[in-house]
């Protein structure tokens, strides 16, 4: 079988990513090129990107689901010759297909849970592709160990669950070699995706923290690829996340996705806070959708907890009596009230806290001694390490102590099941449990309560009608630190660290009246049954379609090195600035107007020393000394500073304080261009600004001749932004009757006279040139922020009014001031 695929003709560029160990060269999967492609090279990192203006010949959409492990089970054949494979029905990746369009083809990329000999890998790959539409990623043993058991399980997993590596034995310390293995593993996954992808037709959905840098590898290759990412673990607060040495690399990699999903608003809020504090990005909510603006792209933020597979649970319910005799369990616990816990054996599940709460309940409420039983099912541990060994020892000791203290002949208050338990066996325990208790100290989602609710609803089919109504009730005691907690409003939420209140919650749950239990159960069942895994995947995919709908209508450029790579998306009218083109037009023109912003354009925004260098002075002198040029620095800074800094530039024009003051050369006097020279409003505005300055550490007031500016660049990002919004409203209110404008900008709030803007300056320059018989035939206008947009906007009106000719060559450019290479990140609107 030939796979329906499309790929670039070139191998994936290695870029500047660290790579560990080269796997042996092996035969690629069969591929067919279905559309002609245009291969374009990125200017700055030689990475290759595929784009095409030719519609694909394939109409049907396809989705490639990428996760650490494929949704298949593998086992060696009895004769030890080859492998046999089957679907893993418990895998979320397989279950989510129910929510995708029926006609959509689904392809899986991931690793296998077994080690496959290199000599068998080609045959296994072909078999999985043909029969299961799965593409396996085989990781070399050294990379696999450092990637999964090293960086994922010893560093990311603890950190995302709020465990800081205070010592080498508690929470894994960061080691560069483990990070390099993580990157190398993600690159191998990307190569497998690239082998089978059709970038014009396919969607890519990446799952979980194992593959957080994969979006960058794929985005480097395919600028307009439609790609989503869902994190199934918690995302920690910024105070925890910022301790990660590669924090910005991972954030930037995730932002190369089009849609990023989280289980809860808390996790999404923490991610957005990290983006704000570490990358300076802000988010906005529009018509119910949250988006982060990132270099012209809007990355959607999806908040949707995953659900369970209803059909799978219900099918097991019908077989529960046969596969696991529920009657035996009822007989075993006859006359007892059963509380149930089902948890993985790891340090974050709070199993020992649950046992201590059970012990406390038996002490506080002796009536339950001999009557209440906690059945604790412990699934096998996925990780390993000293922390896990310590918690296992604690659990064993607690079980022994509690059973010795409260046990009686024929009664043990703790029944600890430390072995793998099938879904059908879990269903049997759910059917006899009066309450499920989850005391995880941190968990991404935890679907145990959902499974329990559905089982309690459906178990009535297998019991007598007299018990039917009684069986449709359930009670939950859940930790407030797990992802499913917000959706279970009828559950008793607890802080698992508080043993006494957890014990009281357990007593309340099993003592509650049946009518109340039934009402809570019905409310939960309505939610769980309607928000199943199909609803979750359908909702995520629909949002991914919506987020990506404009992909092929925008112009995209890939820029940046290594994990600094990002895609700049712009309106189709924009063009990347061509140095050769602008030089050619410049040489042909006779009357040139060159307008330059200062901070962020001539000088980097991050520079502490704002004095222009000798190189800058030399360049500006060269430009301004040409009689064909009219050169202006248009800045918000004061006239004294600008006059001092540019004193060597005798023919340079300066517009200070956004154009309130203006002079055409060093020999001319300053003109006051503002309409109003009364500044009584400062006596109103300054006390307000001082109030906010005192309350906001890191903020300051800049007093100009014509304006007042409040700066909060050095304040806490969240608090400074909040204070700026509040101050803006406050100033607009108290200055409503004054002839001033209140505006917010990059880390500033500014009050200035009405009618003063960089746009007015530009218009005045163009008009003066036209009136003197030197109508500009070349305009170069460069800026970096919102205030410079006023210069860009005036150009169109100047052409309409005749101040500029319709044949004028116009280059209105924005620059990323942080980029060390001038013009390498510059966009222009060329009206030639």
């Amino acid at each position: 079988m030939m796979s329906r695929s499309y790929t670039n003709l070139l191998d994936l560029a290695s870029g500047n990513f660290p790579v560990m160990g080269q796997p042996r060269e092996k035969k690629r999967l069969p591929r067919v090129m279905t559309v002609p492609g245009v291969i374009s090279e990125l200017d700055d990192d030689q990475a290759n990107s595929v784009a095409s203006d030719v519609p694909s010949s394939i109409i049907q959409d396809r989705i490639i689901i990428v996760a650490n492990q494929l949704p298949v089970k593998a086992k060696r054949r009895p004769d030890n010759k080859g492998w046999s494979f089957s679907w893993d029905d418990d895998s979320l990746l397989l279950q989510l297909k129910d929510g995708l369009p029926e006609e959509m083809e689904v392809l899986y990329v991931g690793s296998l849970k077994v080690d496959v000999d290199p000599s068998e890998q080609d045959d296994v790959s072909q078999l999985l592709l043909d029969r299961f539409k799965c593409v396996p990623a085989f990781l070399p043993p050294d990379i696999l160990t450092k990637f999964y058991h090293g960086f994922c399980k010893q560093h990311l997993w603890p950190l995302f669950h709020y465990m800081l590596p205070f010592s080498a034995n508690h929470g894994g310390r960061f080691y560069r070699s483990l990070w390099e293995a993580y990157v190398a593993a993600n690159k191998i996954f990307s190569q497998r995706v690239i082998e089978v992808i059709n970038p014009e037709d396919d969607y890519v959905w990446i799952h979980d923290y194992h593959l957080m840098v994969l979006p960058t590898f794929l985005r480097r290759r395919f600028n307009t690829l439609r790609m989503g990412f869902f994190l199934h673990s918690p995302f920690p607060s910024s105070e925890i996340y910022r301790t990660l040495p590669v924090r910005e690399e991972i954030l930037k990699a995730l932002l190369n996705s089009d849609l990023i999903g989280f289980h809860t608003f808390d996790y999404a809020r923490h991610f957005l806070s990290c983006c704000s504090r570490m990358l300076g990005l802000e988010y906005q909510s529009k018509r119910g959708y949250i988006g982060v603006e990132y270099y012209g792209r809007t990355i959607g933020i999806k908040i949707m907890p995953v659900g369970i597979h209803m059909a799978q649970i219900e099918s097991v319910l019908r077989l529960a009596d046969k596969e696991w005799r529920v009657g035996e369990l009822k007989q075993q616990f006859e006359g007892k009230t059963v509380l149930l816990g089902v948890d993985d054996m790891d340090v974050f599940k709070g199993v020992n806290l649950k046992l201590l709460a059970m012990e406390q309940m038996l002490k506080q409420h002796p009536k339950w001694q001999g009557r209440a039983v906690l059945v604790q099912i412990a699934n096998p541990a996925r990780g390993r390490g000293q922390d896990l060994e310590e918690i296992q020892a604690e659990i064993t000791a607690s079980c022994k102590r509690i059973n010795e203290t409260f046990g009686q002949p024929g009664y043990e208050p703790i029944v600890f099941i430390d072995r793998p338990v099938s879904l059908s066996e879990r269903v049997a325990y759910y059917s006899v449990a009066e309450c499920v208790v989850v005391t995880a100290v941190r968990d991404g989602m935890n679907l145990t309560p959902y499974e329990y609710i559905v089982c309690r609803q459906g178990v009535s089919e297998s019991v007598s009608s007299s018990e039917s109504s009684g069986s449709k009730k359930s009670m939950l005691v859940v930790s407030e630190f797990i992802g499913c907690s917000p959706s279970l409003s009828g559950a008793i939420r607890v802080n698992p660290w508080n043993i006494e209140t957890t014990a009281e919650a357990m007593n309340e749950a099993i003592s509650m009246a049946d009518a109340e239990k039934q009402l809570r159960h019905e409310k939960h069942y309505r939610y769980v049954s309607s928000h199943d895994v199909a609803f979750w995947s359908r909702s995520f995919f629909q949002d991914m379609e919506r987020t990506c709908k404009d992909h092929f209508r925008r112009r995209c450029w890939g820029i940046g090195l290594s994990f600094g790579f990002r895609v700049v998306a712009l309106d189709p009218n924009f063009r990347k600035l061509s140095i050769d083109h602008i030089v050619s037009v410049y040489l042909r023109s006779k009357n040139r107007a060159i307008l330059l912003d200062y901070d962020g354009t001539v000088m980097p925004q991050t520079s502490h020393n704002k004095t222009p260098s000798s190189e800058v002075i030399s360049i500006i002198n060269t430009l301004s000394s040409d009689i064909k040029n009219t050169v202006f620095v248009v800045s918000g800074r004061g006239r004294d500073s600008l006059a001092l800094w540019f004193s060597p530039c005798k023919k340079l024009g300066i517009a200070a304080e956004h154009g309130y003051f203006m002079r055409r050369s060093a020999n001319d006097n300053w003109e006051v261009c503002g309409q109003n020279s009364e500044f009584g409003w400062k006596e109103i505005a300054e006390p307000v600004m001082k109030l906010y300055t005192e309350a906001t550490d890191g903020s300051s007031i800049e007093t100009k001749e014509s304006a007042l500016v409040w700066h909060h660049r050095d304040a806490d990002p969240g608090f400074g932004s909040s204070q700026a919004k509040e101050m803006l409203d406050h100033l607009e209110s108290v200055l409503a009757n004054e002839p001033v404008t209140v505006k917010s900008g990059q880390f500033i709030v500014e009050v200035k006279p009405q009618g003063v803007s960089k746009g007015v300056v530009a218009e005045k320059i163009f008009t003066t040139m036209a009136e003197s018989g030197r109508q500009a035939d070349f305009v170069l206008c460069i800026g970096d922020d919102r205030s410079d947009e006023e210069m860009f906007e005036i150009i169109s009106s100047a052409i309409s009014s005749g101040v500029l000719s319709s044949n004028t060559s116009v280059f209105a450019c924005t620059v990323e001031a942080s980029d060390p290479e001038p013009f390498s990140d510059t966009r222009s609107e060329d009206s030639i």
Side-chain angles (χ1 to χ4, degrees):
M1 171 182 170
M2 300 292 282
S3 64
R4 179 175 68 81
S5 61
Y6 171 82
T7 184
N8 193 347
L9 296 176
L10 303 178
D11 290 332
L12 177 67
S14 58
N16 296 279
F17 298 89
V19 178
M20 294 181 51
Q22 296 292 334
R24 73 177 185 88
E25 184 69 25
K26 54 179 178 286
K27 182 178 66 179
R28 291 176 179 269
L29 295 175
R31 297 184 303 220
V32 178
M33 180 175 281
T34 61
V35 274
V38 178
I39 301 172
S40 60
E41 281 193 279
L42 300 177
D43 299 359
D44 46 357
D45 63 357
Q46 308 303 312
N48 299 304
S49 178
V50 171
S52 176
D53 296 325
V54 183
S56 170
S57 60
I58 296 173
I59 299 173
Q60 179 185 15
D61 281 336
R62 182 175 68 167
I63 188 167
I64 300 175
I65 296 174
V66 194
N68 181 44
Q69 292 184 337
L70 292 170
V72 295
K73 297 177 181 178
K75 63 179 180 180
R76 202 74 178 162
R77 288 178 181 169
D79 59 3
N80 205 34
K81 295 180 180 179
W83 296 86
S84 62
F85 298 93
S86 60
W87 287 115
D88 182 358
D89 293 331
D90 293 333
S91 172
L92 174 69
L93 304 179
L94 186 63
Q95 296 169 356
L96 65 78
K97 288 174 65 175
D98 290 359
L100 300 175
E102 289 185 12
E103 69 280 3
M104 175 166 275
E105 182 184 353
V106 179
L107 190 69
Y108 293 100
V109 176
S111 63
L112 292 168
K113 299 177 184 177
V114 295
D115 294 327
V116 178
D117 189 86
S119 63
E120 300 176 301
Q121 289 178 3
D122 285 344
D123 292 335
V124 168
S125 295
Q126 194 63 55
L127 174 66
L128 287 171
L129 179 65
D130 292 345
R131 297 187 184 178
F132 296 90
K133 294 185 179 177
C134 290
V135 180
F138 298 108
L139 302 181
D142 59 329
I143 290 181
L144 175 62
T145 300
K146 292 181 178 180
F147 157 67
Y148 184 74
H149 295 292
F151 195 74
C152 289
K153 284 300 180 183
Q154 291 182 22
H155 199 76
L156 284 182
W157 178 257
L159 189 74
F160 277 32
H161 288 74
Y162 288 74
M163 179 184 286
L164 291 173
F166 290 117
S167 71
N169 294 328
H170 295 278
R173 288 282 174 85
F174 177 84
Y175 294 104
R176 182 64 57 177
S177 62
L178 301 186
W179 164 245
E180 290 175 355
Y182 182 82
V183 172
N186 275 247
K187 183 174 182 179
I188 291 172
F189 277 87
S190 75
Q191 291 168 339
R192 302 304 279 169
V193 173
I194 288 169
E195 286 181 343
V196 295
I197 196 170
N198 183 335
E200 302 247 341
D201 293 318
D202 292 348
Y203 290 87
V204 177
W205 187 356
I206 303 167
H207 289 263
D208 223 3
Y209 66 97
H210 313 89
L211 302 173
M212 288 194 294
V213 300
L214 178 58
T216 287
F217 282 105
L218 296 179
R219 187 65 71 192
R220 280 165 60 92
R221 191 66 178 270
F222 309 113
N223 285 351
T224 56
L225 181 65
R226 297 174 293 185
M227 179 165 45
F229 179 92
F230 196 92
L231 183 67
H232 293 273
S233 77
F235 195 93
S237 71
S238 60
E239 292 304 302
I240 297 293
Y241 181 80
R242 70 195 298 185
T243 65
L244 185 62
V246 288
R247 60 193 187 184
E248 291 187 7
E249 289 88 334
I250 289 177
L251 282 181
K252 290 176 180 178
L254 289 174
L255 290 168
N256 275 318
S257 304
D258 296 300
L259 181 66
I260 305 173
F262 302 92
H263 285 306
T264 71
F265 175 69
D266 274 349
Y267 303 161
R269 178 169 55 85
H270 293 156
F271 173 77
L272 294 170
S273 175
C274 289
C275 289
S276 173
R277 290 174 176 274
M278 296 166 205
L279 302 180
L281 303 178
E282 298 299 327
Y283 73 93
Q284 58 182 355
S285 182
K286 186 176 181 181
R287 296 185 178 179
Y289 298 109
I290 300 175
V292 177
E293 291 296 323
Y294 188 58
Y295 292 97
R297 296 168 54 238
T298 300
I299 292 87
I301 302 298
K302 177 70 173 176
I303 302 166
M304 175 63 67
V306 72
I308 61 172
H309 194 270
M310 292 291 294
Q312 182 192 29
I313 300 289
E314 289 170 351
S315 66
V316 173
L317 278 171
R318 298 186 189 99
L319 301 173
D321 275 335
K322 296 178 182 177
E323 294 192 16
W324 182 266
R325 292 166 293 176
V326 177
E328 286 192 356
L329 283 179
K330 293 192 175 205
Q331 185 177 354
Q332 178 184 350
F333 297 113
E334 185 177 5
K336 306 292 191 300
T337 298
V338 178
L339 297 95
L340 178 65
V342 181
D343 302 279
D344 292 340
M345 179 58 74
D346 75 45
V347 296
F348 302 110
K349 292 301 187 283
V351 174
N352 197 51
L353 295 176
K354 188 187 308 179
L355 298 176
L356 296 177
M358 179 67 178
E359 181 180 33
Q360 185 69 20
M361 187 188 78
L362 295 176
K363 288 178 182 177
Q364 290 179 340
H365 304 278
K367 66 179 180 179
W368 293 115
Q369 295 179 19
R371 294 173 53 201
V373 177
L374 172 62
V375 177
Q376 177 61 53
I377 298 173
N379 299 320
R382 301 181 194 179
R384 58 195 183 195
Q386 182 178 340
D387 290 333
L388 187 59
E389 294 171 2
E390 290 176 358
I391 203 70
Q392 286 174 324
E394 285 182 11
I395 290 170
T396 301
S398 294
C399 289
K400 182 179 179 182
R401 184 185 68 255
I402 296 169
N403 283 337
E404 287 178 352
T405 304
F406 299 101
Q408 301 171 10
Y411 166 73
E412 284 190 337
I414 306 294
V415 176
F416 190 72
I417 302 173
D418 187 13
R419 58 175 172 78
V421 175
S422 66
L423 177 58
S424 60
E425 189 175 349
R426 288 207 307 274
V427 166
Y429 277 103
Y430 288 144
S431 68
V432 300
E434 203 56 33
C435 175
V436 156
V437 184
V438 182
T439 54
V441 295
R442 191 70 60 178
D443 206 351
M445 186 61 193
N446 200 310
L447 295 175
T448 295
Y450 288 10
E451 290 182 352
Y452 170 63
I453 290 162
V454 174
C455 289
R456 294 293 287 182
Q457 176 72 17
V459 77
S460 61
E461 298 178 7
S462 58
V463 297
S464 66
S465 58
S466 63
E467 298 172 355
S468 175
S469 62
S471 66
K472 293 186 178 180
K473 64 182 189 297
S474 60
M475 273 308 298
L476 294 166
V477 175
V478 300
S479 165
E480 61 191 51
F481 303 120
I482 64 176
C484 68
S485 175
S487 63
L488 298 170
S489 57
I492 302 176
R493 299 189 182 103
V494 296
N495 174 1
W497 297 104
N498 191 328
I499 304 299
E500 289 77 13
T501 58
T502 304
E504 283 302 320
M506 292 164 67
N507 172 64
E508 180 186 352
I510 57 180
S511 302
M512 191 175 291
D514 285 353
E516 178 67 17
K517 290 180 182 179
Q518 189 168 345
L519 287 172
R520 295 186 183 217
H521 167 80
E522 289 172 355
K523 182 177 184 179
H524 288 159
Y525 183 75
R526 283 194 299 272
Y527 176 84
V528 173
S529 60
S530 60
H531 291 72
D532 61 354
V533 67
F535 178 87
W536 169 76
S537 62
R538 185 183 309 113
S539 179
F540 187 91
F541 181 72
Q542 288 172 349
D543 271 22
M544 186 155 58
E545 282 187 308
R546 176 187 54 79
T547 306
C548 301
K549 66 181 180 180
D550 293 330
H551 266 32
F552 300 106
R553 292 202 291 264
R554 310 194 73 185
R555 296 182 61 86
C556 297
W557 285 276
I559 60 172
L561 300 172
S562 190
F563 286 110
F565 178 84
R566 64 273 189 199
V567 167
V568 175
L570 297 169
D571 185 91
N573 293 327
F574 278 78
R575 300 289 184 272
K576 190 169 185 178
L577 187 64
S578 167
I579 303 299
D580 292 339
H581 177 55
I582 194 172
V583 169
S584 173
V585 176
Y586 178 89
L587 294 174
R588 292 198 308 268
S589 57
K590 297 180 179 179
N591 296 303
R592 312 178 191 112
I594 301 173
L595 280 61
L596 306 173
D597 172 48
Y598 187 71
D599 289 289
T601 304
V602 173
M603 289 296 293
Q605 195 72 257
T606 54
S607 175
H608 290 285
N609 181 8
K610 297 299 182 180
T611 305
S613 65
S614 57
E615 184 181 9
V616 169
I617 294 294
S618 174
I619 291 171
I620 290 181
N621 254 333
T622 301
L623 287 172
S624 57
S625 61
D626 190 327
I627 59 173
K628 295 180 180 179
N629 294 344
T630 299
V631 184
F632 267 81
V633 168
V634 185
S635 173
R637 287 191 172 271
R639 56 177 172 173
D640 292 340
S641 299
L642 292 172
L644 176 64
W645 292 339
F646 289 104
S647 56
C649 305
K650 302 300 182 184
K651 297 182 179 180
L652 173 69
I654 298 176
E657 299 191 16
H658 297 292
Y660 187 85
F661 297 108
M662 183 174 171
R663 76 176 189 191
R664 303 184 184 280
S665 70
N667 296 325
D668 294 327
N669 294 324
W670 288 98
E671 303 175 32
V672 177
C673 302
Q675 300 172 357
N676 196 314
S677 57
E678 294 295 327
F679 297 103
W681 54 266
K682 285 188 177 183
E683 296 179 4
I684 303 173
E686 193 167 18
V688 174
M689 287 189 171
K690 285 183 177 179
L691 179 69
Y692 284 87
T693 303
E694 291 172 3
T696 312
D697 187 42
S699 65
S700 61
I701 301 173
E702 179 187 0
T703 303
K704 300 180 181 179
E705 291 182 69
S706 68
L708 289 174
V709 186
W710 187 73
H711 296 267
H712 60 94
R713 180 180 294 275
D714 296 328
D716 176 87
F719 186 55
S721 177
S722 173
Q723 290 288 79
K725 291 176 184 176
E726 181 69 24
M727 179 192 287
L728 187 69
D729 291 340
H730 195 160
L731 288 172
E732 285 178 341
S733 175
V734 299
L735 297 172
N737 297 321
E738 299 294 329
V740 294
T741 300
V742 185
K743 286 191 174 183
S744 61
Q746 286 187 330
F747 303 107
I748 66 165
V749 175
E750 183 171 23
V751 184
K752 62 182 181 180
Q754 291 177 347
V756 174
S757 73
K758 291 185 178 182
V760 174
V761 172
E763 185 177 30
K764 187 169 291 189
I765 294 169
F766 299 149
T767 301
T768 302
M769 291 179 69
E771 290 174 349
S772 63
R774 298 180 60 247
Q775 186 181 53
D777 56 2
F778 174 97
V779 174
L780 174 63
C781 185
I782 307 179
D784 77 308
D785 65 14
R786 192 179 304 166
S787 67
D788 301 310
E789 294 291 333
E790 296 167 341
M791 289 194 292
F792 302 159
E793 291 168 0
I794 206 66
I795 293 173
S796 296
S797 61
I799 292 175
S800 301
S801 64
V803 174
L804 292 177
S805 167
S806 59
N807 295 320
T808 301
S809 298
V810 177
F811 298 88
C813 314
T814 58
V815 298
E816 180 194 352
S818 60
D819 199 302
E821 298 181 19
F823 296 107
S824 67
D825 207 14
T826 305
R827 283 79 75 190
S828 70
E829 181 177 88
D830 187 352
S831 63
I832 294 176

